[in-house]
Amino acid sequence: MASAAASVVTLNVGGELFQTTAATLSRAGAASPLASLGPTPASAPHFLDRDPRLFALLLSFLRRGSLASPAPPSAALLSEARHFGVDAALLASVSPASAFSPLALRPSVLLPLAGRVAPSAVAVSPSPHSAALFAAHGGVITRFDAALASRSSVLTPLPTVDSLVAVSPALALAGARDFPGVHLFRILDDGPTTAREVLSWPGSPSATVLSMAATAASEASSPWLFTSFESARRNSSAVVAFDLNSLSPVAEIGRKEVYGADVEAAIPATRLDWLDGHNLLLAAGSHSGPAGVVGDIRLWDIRASTMMPVWEFREKVDCFADIAASDTLSSLFKVGAASGEVFMADLRMLRGGSIGIEPWLCIGDGQRAAAAASAGRKDGNGCMIGCYLNWVFVARGGEVEVWTQVELAQEAGGKKLMRRNWLGSGPSMATASGGGEEGVKEKTKIVSWAFGGSRMVLARDDKQSIEVWDSATAAISVNP
């Protein structure tokens, strides 16, 4: 009992007494002023001239590792957490990826954006960082912290942002199809926004940006940014890898040159995806010509000294409208431009060197896919596909569907299948913003989306706001 009493720290916070242990306070981190407070007798407490109501919430957070309330922390609580140096840990606990469940996603918050321009791109900072949210609208990038309690904006030199990547809760990278270079912006809550650098293709400094993808940061290596560039004259393209610590180019991948009118021989990559667990870069692009839509898909192992693709495929039948890669499912997924059906390709089969062999298995309606491809239909135009954790998401107009891998019982063969479910389309969001019954019936097209933590973020055409869907059921609110 004496040893337990000796570890007790007594605090007088704004006139209210609190008792805890030195071990609990040490969870605030070595840089926090709380970590230096040692045990004291109840008759001689440490005095902190702070709000006791807010401190009680922070102390509960240090004890539990999470907030007692499922609601995001208020701006006042975040300010108090910043004073004690626990704001990063608090924000990281707000929307953990471990809490993500696609079938539990519900519209949570509608975030209006300044101005009259609809958002063109959204991004969420990756784990293990807090899930800060970035939205590009016109030439402006607006950042919301993980609690969605504060926002900061920066005006970029780009007329509109087509590609947006969040590397950390404070660092965003933006590119455009009609403006040269990748522009880096550090957007902070409590300081000025700074433009650090512009990254360009060394072989063509005026080249514009078609797509971007970033690797995850780790203690062993610095993060890389992959950028698909196209020259101003649109007669050459390449994917360039940049080291984001040194901001220098480290590799040029798959350079293509257009000779004469043979555009199909050098289709630039308009879709990049990084598979960290497989150390593979997916680069894909398509071209619509008189003979229909033709696409090129390549997988690159960036560790290979030859910088040759480990797999490539030329698509001519039901070419992809969009394509994505899943690290956890070890597969590629596409939406057919003709059929609108979803297809899957096993990465373990592709890395065997089977170049040119048809890789796709239709996990939707195979008969419908074949009929649509033969008829030259365009049912998949405008569809998007993306992968997050163990799930695959498809956006069709204003609707979102999710594909989940399920394993059959042993008596049914024990095989793994992909099963489709539909999520909501956001009518309740229209109601939350005052849209009324007319807004409820409207299903505005989704133009961009992002996933991070326990959230899905949507940007819709002609809506000057972004939707935040969360796995935890919550009442819809509209942030001012």
Side-chain angles (χ1 to χ4, degrees):
M1 294 293 292
S3 60
S7 67
V8 173
V9 181
T10 304
L11 305 168
N12 180 343
V13 183
E16 291 191 21
L17 290 180
F18 294 85
Q19 286 192 317
T20 184
T21 65
T24 296
L25 294 180
S26 69
R27 295 171 188 162
S32 170
L34 295 176
S36 63
L37 300 179
T40 56
S43 59
H46 296 287
F47 178 74
L48 302 176
D49 189 15
R50 308 299 297 182
D51 188 329
R53 297 170 302 170
L54 296 176
F55 186 81
L57 296 175
L58 291 180
L59 185 58
S60 174
F61 168 72
L62 292 176
R63 288 168 173 158
R64 295 162 47 96
S66 61
L67 290 172
S69 169
S74 64
L77 181 58
L78 283 174
S79 177
E80 196 73 359
R82 193 174 297 115
H83 173 81
F84 288 111
V86 295
D87 52 315
L90 185 63
L91 287 172
S93 72
V94 168
S95 176
S98 59
F100 185 82
S101 176
L103 298 183
L105 283 169
R106 298 293 183 270
S108 174
V109 179
L110 187 69
L111 300 173
L113 301 171
R116 299 182 178 180
V117 182
S120 57
V122 290
V124 177
S125 56
S127 298
H129 306 292
S130 61
L133 192 160
F134 296 81
H137 44 116
V140 177
I141 297 176
T142 297
R143 172 193 176 273
F144 300 85
D145 65 18
L148 309 179
S150 66
R151 70 174 74 193
S152 306
S153 296
V154 58
L155 178 63
T156 77
L158 284 65
T160 187
V161 176
D162 299 308
S163 300
L164 184 64
V165 170
V167 179
S168 74
L171 183 61
L173 299 91
R177 292 175 177 266
D178 57 356
F179 201 88
V182 177
H183 297 253
L184 285 74
F185 299 95
R186 185 170 291 278
I187 308 175
L188 306 175
D189 287 327
D190 53 357
T193 297
T194 58
R196 292 180 55 195
E197 191 67 70
V198 177
L199 308 180
S200 302
W201 179 14
S204 180
S206 61
T208 59
V209 176
L210 299 179
S211 183
M212 295 188 294
T215 69
S218 67
E219 295 181 1
S221 60
S222 62
W224 279 21
L225 172 73
F226 299 99
T227 304
S228 177
F229 286 104
E230 186 176 42
S231 66
R233 297 179 61 187
R234 303 196 175 185
N235 60 352
S236 61
S237 63
V239 176
V240 180
F242 296 93
D243 184 313
L244 287 178
N245 282 348
S246 64
L247 300 181
S248 58
V250 293
E252 182 182 283
I253 305 169
R255 181 172 183 140
K256 298 179 180 180
E257 303 281 349
V258 177
Y259 298 101
D262 191 10
V263 178
E264 291 186 3
I267 300 173
T270 55
R271 183 72 156 92
L272 298 180
D273 220 342
W274 172 249
L275 294 101
D276 191 64
H278 295 76
N279 214 74
L280 290 175
L281 175 69
L282 166 67
S286 61
H287 172 74
S288 181
V293 182
V294 176
D296 279 338
I297 307 171
R298 288 181 170 86
L299 289 174
W300 302 84
D301 186 342
I302 63 170
R303 296 170 300 185
S305 58
T306 57
M307 279 297 176
M308 295 293 290
V310 297
W311 178 78
E312 57 185 327
F313 185 71
R314 166 59 63 95
E315 292 225 302
K316 294 184 178 180
V317 178
D318 207 3
C319 177
F320 61 88
D322 195 15
I323 188 170
S326 171
D327 228 347
T328 53
L329 297 176
S330 298
S331 299
L332 303 182
F333 294 88
K334 76 166 186 177
V335 178
S339 66
E341 293 295 330
V342 180
F343 297 78
M344 177 181 180
D346 192 329
L347 281 174
R348 292 165 295 185
M349 303 294 292
L350 303 184
R351 297 197 71 171
S354 54
I355 295 179
I357 298 177
E358 173 61 46
W360 297 110
L361 171 67
C362 181
I363 58 176
D365 188 333
Q367 292 184 343
R368 182 181 180 279
S374 300
R377 296 168 60 178
K378 300 179 180 179
D379 294 349
N381 278 4
C383 291
M384 300 190 307
I385 192 166
C387 302
Y388 181 57
L389 301 177
N390 298 318
W391 297 277
V392 181
F393 297 83
V394 178
R396 302 181 188 275
E399 307 275 358
V400 178
E401 65 187 45
V402 58
W403 291 80
T404 305
Q405 188 178 72
V406 295
E407 187 170 357
L408 299 179
Q410 289 298 324
E411 55 268 23
K415 295 181 179 180
K416 293 182 178 180
L417 302 176
M418 299 296 294
R419 179 173 294 171
R420 174 169 57 184
N421 290 280
W422 287 91
L423 305 183
S425 60
S428 50
M429 281 295 189
T431 304
S433 59
E437 288 303 317
E438 183 178 352
V440 170
K441 296 177 182 178
E442 186 180 358
K443 297 180 180 179
T444 310
K445 180 182 178 182
I446 299 168
V447 296
S448 181
W449 56 4
F451 299 86
S454 60
R455 294 170 175 160
M456 173 180 72
V457 182
L458 303 179
R460 296 182 184 271
D461 192 19
D462 296 332
K463 299 293 182 183
Q464 288 77 45
S465 58
I466 52 177
E467 299 174 15
V468 179
W469 294 55
D470 205 295
S471 297
T473 302
I476 300 168
S477 62
V478 181
N479 280 14

